[in-house]
Amino acid sequence: MVRAGLTAERVTAAGAELADEVGLGQVTMSQVARRLGVKDASLYTHVRGLEDLRGRIALLAADEKTIRIAEATAGCAGKDALVAFANAWREYAHRHPGRYMATQTTIQIDPELAVNAPGPRRAVELTYGMLRGYGLAEPDLTDAVRLLRSTFHGFVALEAAGGFAHQRLPQHSWDRALDALHTLLEHWPPSREGESS
């Protein structure tokens, strides 16, 4: 028997909760079905399978993370925007580790779902908008986006894995990393002559 009100959104939410609890790679359709109190087969009316569910979790997470970043950076510019952006990113990764990992993993996402999903598009707009405040233009914008993503993701991934064993608190290193990024963005080195795009 299918529980009344079961929808793709409810299945996705249950999968996202499980991902945060046990890790994205450990989520199974059977676990999601048990959480919702239905038989496994009932889920396939709403999602096509595990890969489809992971794609939906990734889109949900991208939307949630982007909303938090947008709220945190509203009305901010320069270093204040950078710090608010980075802190919202890190906080989301800490609170929702499974969902966060879905946004950092290559997952096949249904193109019909992706085209209507506001999260990924809004994330790009927010990131590029914040960096334009530093006076950057292409190809420097793309390079700066990659630097920020590498720094933020690298830090939170190492932090989650217990990779910072030194007695200095990770928060102090995070704050200094943001200071350094701000300084670098203000003094972005010029592109090399003849460099290909």
Side-chain angles (χ1 to χ4, degrees):
M1 176 193 321
V2 176
R3 178 180 285 181
L6 191 63
T7 63
E9 291 75 22
R10 284 193 63 211
V11 173
T12 302
E17 290 169 6
L18 265 172
D20 287 340
E21 293 168 17
V22 302
L24 181 67
Q26 304 305 312
V27 173
T28 66
M29 296 296 279
S30 293
Q31 288 174 318
V32 175
R34 278 195 299 277
R35 176 162 289 221
L36 292 168
V38 300
K39 294 189 181 297
D40 293 16
S42 301
L43 300 182
Y44 292 91
T45 303
H46 306 285
V47 298
R48 289 193 309 272
L50 187 56
E51 191 66 16
D52 182 37
L53 176 60
R54 287 179 176 161
R56 290 170 184 271
I57 292 170
L59 291 175
L60 170 68
D63 199 36
E64 291 175 342
K65 183 165 73 101
T66 301
I67 288 169
R68 282 163 180 73
I69 290 172
E71 290 171 348
T73 58
C76 296
K79 185 177 181 182
D80 290 339
L82 173 66
V83 170
F85 187 109
N87 286 339
W89 177 304
R90 184 176 176 221
E91 182 181 329
Y92 187 83
H94 285 178
R95 287 191 179 191
H96 301 290
R99 297 176 212 214
Y100 172 76
M101 191 50 62
T103 68
Q104 302 300 313
T105 305
T106 302
I107 296 174
Q108 293 289 9
I109 298 175
D110 181 339
E112 288 183 25
L113 291 174
V115 76
N116 295 317
R121 183 176 55 254
R122 183 74 175 120
V124 171
E125 292 168 358
L126 284 169
T127 309
Y128 277 70
M130 186 257 299
L131 288 171
R132 281 191 192 97
Y134 283 98
L136 298 180
E138 290 295 2
D140 296 328
L141 271 172
T142 295
D143 294 339
V145 167
R146 290 174 178 169
L147 172 66
L148 293 185
R149 184 176 178 199
S150 299
T151 302
F152 300 163
H153 177 64
F155 195 100
V156 299
L158 286 167
E159 194 172 27
F164 296 136
H166 191 277
Q167 65 183 9
R168 181 169 168 78
L169 293 176
Q171 182 64 45
H172 297 314
S173 298
W174 176 256
D175 292 339
R176 294 297 289 145
L178 297 183
D179 288 343
L181 284 172
H182 170 66
T183 299
L184 172 60
L185 291 169
E186 283 196 315
H187 304 283
W188 192 262
S191 296
R192 295 185 186 100
E193 280 297 318
E195 184 178 52
S196 59
S197 300

